[in-house]
Amino acid sequence: MERGSLHSPAALTGMPRWVQEMLIHGGLLGDDQSESSILNYIQEWPEVLSWIILSLAVFSFQKTKSAKLPLIFRSWWIFNFLQSATIVVFDLRSILMAHEDIRFQEWIDLFMLVVCTYLFAISAKGKTGITFTDSSITEPLLGPSVGEQAEVKRPCPYGRANILELVTFSWMNPVFAIGYKKPLEKSDVPDVDGKDSAEFLSDSFKKIIDEVERGHGLSTSSIYRTIFLFVKRKAMINAGFAVLSASASYVGPSMINDLVKFLGGERQYGLKRGYILAVTLLSAKVVETIARSQWFFGAQQLGMRLRAALISHIYQKGLRLSCSSRQKHTSGEIINYMSVDIQRITDALWYTNYIWMLPIQLSLAVYILHQSLGIGAWAGLAVTLAIMACNIPLTRKQKRLQAKIMVAKDNRMKATTEVLRNMKTLKLQAWDMNYLQKLEALRGEEYNWLWRSVRLSALTTFIFWGSPAFISSITFGSCILMGIPLTAGTVLSALATFRMLQDSIFTLPDLLSVFAQGKVSADRVAKYLEEEELKYDAVIEVPRNETDYDVEIDHGIFSWELETASPTLTDVELKAKRGMKVAICGMVGSGKSSLLSCILGEMPKLDGTVRVSGRKAYVPQTAWILSGNIRENILFGNPYDKEKYENVIQACALTKDLELLANGDLTEIGERGINMSGGQKQRIQIARSVYEDADIYLFDDPFSAVDAHTGSQLFKDCVMGILKDKTVLFVTHQVEFLPAADLVLVMQDGKIVQKGKFDELLKENIGFEAIVGAHSQALESVINAEGSSRIPPATEKSAGSEDELNTENETDDQLQGITKQESAHDVAQDISEKGRLTQEEERETGGVGKKVYWAYLRAVHGGALVPVIIAAQSFFQIFQVASNYWMTCASPPTSATTPMVGLDLLFSVYIALAMGSALCVLARSLLMSLIGLLTSEKFFKNMLHCILRAPMSFFDSTPTGRILSRASNDQSVLDLVIANRLGWCVFSVIQVLGTIGVMSQVAWPVFAIFIPVTVVYFLCQRYYIPTARELARLSQIQRAPILHHFAKSLAGASSIRAYGQKDRFRKANLGLADNHSRPWFHNFSSMEWLSFRLNMLSNFVFAFSLTLLVSLPEGFINPSIAGLAVTYALNLNSQLASIIWNICNTENKMISVERIMQYSRIPSEAPLIVDHYRPPNSWPEVGTINIRSLEVRYAEHLPSVLRNISCTIPGRKKVGIVGRTGSGKSTFIQALFRIVEPREGTIEIDNVDICKIGLHDLRGRLSIIPQDPTMFEGTVRGNLDPLNEYPDHRIWEILDKCQLGDIVRQSPKKLDSTVVENGENWSVGQRQLFCFGRVLLKRSNVLVLDEATASVDSSTDAIIQETIREEFGNCTVLTVAHRIHTVIDSDLILVFSEGRIIEYDTPSKLLENENSEFSRLIKEYSRRSHGFRGTANN
């Protein structure tokens, strides 16, 4: 491959050739001595032999099927490349110094450099080109969703690209070809390469972190070590390109002096020397272009890899966090780690190459300055270092500010997440505007820290934009003082160097600022990854064949808080044999749910042992439903077995519900399961657990959310039917289910106080009697009602009741058939799309509209300050060009020429111009920072107001992740990025205009080439932008599903762990990360595709200009001005590329503005207050509700939920609202509060049409305890009285009335007792009691109870009912209930069925009619409890 006489790569004996070259040119070795034939002979033979061996080894790759290059080959070729590059540099230098022609040997050297560069590229890639198909990587991560076709495999062009395509980014051409013809869709974007896939990266990161943890433990430093080891190899390759790019960029300034001398008349060696200079300068620019594009691409790719790995690990950590760790990090905070912090860490990674580039750039700059200015260069270096040192305290302050900003952002995101999750409660209670003010206050705190940060950034910008002028002033001043002659050539060489150094100095504040942000973010992520995880040894898994017991707990002591004197559960002894049915009952807060948690291993174990044998299935008390269709929720990752599936549907009483839905079990469930009733959600959960076919079932009171009929059917067909051979532990407040249990556990104050069969416990007559007694009284009231209405008791009719109920069910089926036809007709237009509640995220197509830019620019003071900023930058450019002109023209062309002006005047004018430019920068940077932040704040407030004033239908159909993505990531872009990006678009245009102005002074024919090149530039841009814009939009849209899936997974982490589904959810997260990486990777690749082409075009213009200058006759132009033109032309390619890059990048970033504007124009719900139609202060006084022809539907394309409802509810009466699950009861309540606006008809309360008054006037005057109990993070007092309207003694009074006084008194903080996110440190029953406390405080004349006591035991329920009778005796009370005894003493009963009122009368009248729906419900309830009554009487 190489001639030994010319090239000796690393001779085994003798002196290497490149060392000889250096010694020859250094004058230390004679030429005859170096070329001695003996030495040549000694050198050549080992080299020839080594190359033969190397060639044979390369050919053997195919036989050995080696996919990777051995390290020795790669080292060899890298060394060869460095040697060849060194030889070529010395060859060119000797030709220029000796003024010789290029000889044959030098041509061979150049050719060898090309070959060695190719080998160097292969070495860097590290692959032989031999590939194998690896099924584990090529097969899709996730199987296709139910009802969807598997996505077509999209081959990755990057993975198959050859070396030329990798250098020129031509592998992107197919993507551009599609994107130019039509807007890119998700399916048009190719996959990422196997090594960039989230699964590969996640596994690699895990291996490294496991090794580090074994060697060093898990700490912040070990997380940093892991990140370093993960990025090391790719970062070193990037560093090589970065250093090469930096080195090549300094070739130009080092040769400016030679060029000025040539143009000034030193042409004794003819034009050839000029052309060699031109070729050298051009070659350096080409090398710089290639190296820079590869460095930028590699750095972005590395950032993408680290982001995918960190997203995966943050997600997996979220599924493993212990309860105490989970309470330290709210969902909002963890989502911030994933969206904002990871972005900042990858930004910091991008900047790391500047760490080693800065010293290289400084060293080269000092070398060139020393060549031109002698010891004056050291003055320049001292000033440069002093300015850099100035930045250290500024950076420290910036780091502190960044930490404060992130804390403030966390607090805001935490509150935003909570508000979005509980939006329905806020609207029902008319608290939405108060929480809006809370969010604005939190944003205000964040804004204050942001304002301090951007002011500091403005100061650093001023220092560093002004620094080149300042450095040059000090350097030239030092030269004048030291008597060093300043010629045009030396001044231009120095100025060119200062301009190159300016990049380094500009980069330093960004570098330090990004590092400050990255350090804060990395510390936060590291701290999170260090958090304590669930102890997997808390539960011992016992093989099925080794024990007859499925659950055993011996001497168990458990506590949610590890350091506590009073554990949550003590002295737990439990043995559940295979197939046993264990019922767990007790008062609210007695530890029932905690007992299930300790079996699941969710609760920290302080002492004892827990043994579990078999797979577990868990149904939590609060339904956890995933976005997707019903079937996907039930299958939960298991394969679809039609027969088994239909059996499960039937056992879980879902058959009729699915028949009523137009799409059946393929109906999509909306955000938070909005289009499903509470009972339906619970039954879907139960169906999921039954389909799992586990061994042990843990049910946390799922029956409380369903009506009596459905509850008994579920218990009979599911618990005692399909699960008859399984072990089932169920928490319940329904005493009627207890007789069927093999073992009943009675809990009190965290202890199992009684256990045994139901009959045995009754005989013991200790604490169990309280629970049973309360239920007996409730049952007695039902029996009395039955008796008084002359209906024969259920016992007497038991023989005929089954047949009668079957006949009634047939009638039901006929009715439902009719309903199904109607609803099917309603959505027949497009079942697949219109039946969906959650639509695909809105995505603009085409260019980011001028309206978006215009809206942004005019947001503050109508855009009046924008021209001032442009003027300030223009004057800065004018002053800069003028100062350079002055120094060049006023300095003599050579040291022999007499200066035109005195040194004092020369220096004074230069200083004045430099100061003028610095002041312009200060004005511009301060105004930019101020306007950027004010604009961001205005957009934020518009979006926040729009979101909080949006109707509930918006939140029902919009995944929370979409809103959070805009509030966190897009808002961060507006806060800190957009203003600078837009500014740079204008500033780079002004810079280029300045450069062209200077060039046109000497090389006006450049315009002849510049105009067509500019046209090509903009054609490239127009070809590029449609693809890049859609890729940017797709990557923004693909970010939200990651956050949404994460939020959902965190909410259901205990279920995911219980079902052993962590791996499936991890893979889903990896799939979503890949979906985001695909458009992101191709987006930054497209930028480099464009950047490479534009830089090459700029190099073409530069080559033309140089050739023109060299070819002009001597004396035709002023050499000083020509030199200045070349000095500016050196930066032309980066400036022109900067314009296009900034325009394109700004357009990509403006998508964030566009997305925020989308959510700033959401249609608002009705006005909060209508001034000309306000109800009297005493309204509603009587509480008479008159409803006429009411019709309600959730969305225009969905069928009506309530149909033609008409009735009058008399004032100050108690009205019970009953009906089967999903009959429209809760929708009726929502219509009353105008959460859903009536489509037709009217509702009047005390003759006031509620649709005409303001929403706050309506909702603020009514009280409600909603179906899903809600608590907010904060304190007990803040949860009861968020508006701070009542004194403490009143709040204590209310706490006592709702059975919470004693619990709160036990806490040392009393009313300031902590409530964590979502109230998770209080049981569901206690949360419902807090909601009850709120309505007691409010004391409205109309009270609505929507399944208000579903999660409390019978005795607590009885106390609540008694309190309601006392406190709301003269009020209108509407009670939606599944427990018949809570409505049996109502004045009137309203019976709903399939969205219609089918019965409305007094309970006694309805019970007189044996065929009434209410009679059927009563019979069902009393029949279900009959077995218990018989036992109780015995």
Side-chain angles (χ1 to χ4, degrees), residues 1212-1229:
R1212 296 176 182 156
K1213 297 287 184 186
K1214 308 284 178 290
V1215 179
I1217 302 172
V1218 295
R1220 305 280 187 214
T1221 300
S1223 59
K1225 305 184 296 292
S1226 291
T1227 306
F1228 173 68
I1229 300 305

Side-chain angles (χ1 to χ4, degrees), residues 150 235 243 292 295 409 426 562 576 580 655 668 737 948 952 988 1122 1164 1249 1262 1319 1394 1432:
V243 169
R292 182 180 288 259
W295 158 37
K409 187 186 284 292
L426 295 179
L562 290 174
M580 272 180 87
T655 311
E668 195 206 359
F737 296 147
L948 265 82
M952 203 59 219
S988 48
S1164 177
D1249 186 343
L1262 310 181
E1394 295 155 18

Side-chain angles (χ1 to χ4, degrees), residues 157-367:
Y158 169 72
R160 299 179 303 169
N162 59 40
I163 192 79
L164 186 64
E165 287 173 334
L166 289 172
V167 169
T168 61
F169 297 93
S170 306
W171 56 269
M172 276 293 295
N173 289 351
V175 182
F176 280 108
I178 299 167
Y180 188 67
K181 289 176 192 165
K182 67 179 184 80
L184 278 178
E185 294 300 330
K186 185 177 149 188
S187 56
D188 297 324
V189 184
D191 286 331
V192 287
D193 188 34
K195 283 196 172 178
D196 292 327
S197 72
E199 185 167 33
F200 176 83
L201 298 167
S202 175
D203 291 345
S204 304
F205 193 86
K206 187 171 188 322
K207 281 177 194 167
I208 296 167
I209 201 168
D210 288 347
E211 282 175 24
V212 171
E213 193 175 344
R214 279 196 295 272
H216 305 274
L218 193 59
S219 62
T220 304
S221 60
S222 60
I223 303 290
Y224 278 105
R225 185 188 293 266
T226 303
I227 291 172
F228 168 73
L229 292 171
F230 180 76
V231 304
K232 182 177 69 174
R233 182 178 170 278
K234 180 75 177 169
M236 285 169 69
I237 296 168
N238 288 346
F241 283 123
V243 169
L244 185 63
S245 169
S247 305
S249 68
Y250 277 87
V251 172
S254 68
M255 303 190 84
I256 287 283
N257 201 4
D258 292 334
L259 187 68
V260 171
K261 283 178 185 173
F262 174 81
L263 296 173
E266 289 187 11
R267 297 199 180 187
Q268 60 267 46
Y269 305 108
L271 284 177
K272 187 166 53 180
R273 178 179 167 80
Y275 289 131
I276 290 171
L277 277 169
V279 167
T280 307
L281 285 166
L282 182 64
S283 302
K285 293 307 285 180
V286 170
V287 169
E288 182 190 351
T289 297
I290 293 170
R292 182 180 288 259
S293 62
Q294 290 301 318
W295 158 37
F296 278 18
F297 171 76
Q300 293 271 29
Q301 187 183 29
L302 186 56
M304 179 190 79
R305 287 177 176 180
L306 182 61
R307 186 176 65 242
L310 286 175
I311 280 176
S312 164
H313 277 264
I314 286 174
Y315 178 84
Q316 289 174 56
K317 186 75 178 182
L319 294 185
R320 296 196 303 264
L321 281 181
S322 69
C323 180
S324 55
S325 301
R326 181 70 187 82
Q327 287 182 8
K328 289 183 203 169
H329 304 271
T330 61
S331 304
E333 281 176 12
I334 302 174
I335 283 168
N336 252 357
Y337 301 150
M338 208 176 247
S339 60
V340 178
D341 288 304
I342 288 180
Q343 186 59 50
R344 290 185 168 186
I345 292 167
T346 53
D347 287 348
L349 194 65
W350 196 89
Y351 274 90
T352 45
N353 286 311
Y354 287 107
I355 295 171
W356 35 84
M357 280 174 66
L358 281 172
I360 290 170
Q361 287 172 321
L362 275 175
S363 306
L364 289 168
V366 169
Y367 171 74

Side-chain angles (χ1 to χ4, degrees), residues 625-629 632-633 668-673 838 959 1044 1048:
I625 301 292
L626 289 163
S627 299
N629 61 42
E632 284 171 351
N633 267 280
E668 195 206 359
I669 299 173
E671 176 72 356
R672 298 179 294 274
T838 307
H1044 180 63
K1048 274 285 179 193

Side-chain angles (χ1 to χ4, degrees), residues 365-378:
V366 169
Y367 171 74
I368 294 163
L369 287 173
H370 194 267
Q371 294 285 92
S372 307
L373 304 174
I375 56 171
W378 299 109

Side-chain angles (χ1 to χ4, degrees), residues 374-385 471 474-479 482:
I375 56 171
W378 299 109
L381 176 65
V383 176
T384 305
L385 293 173
I471 293 168
I474 298 291
T475 308
F476 292 148
S478 302
C479 290
M482 288 187 278

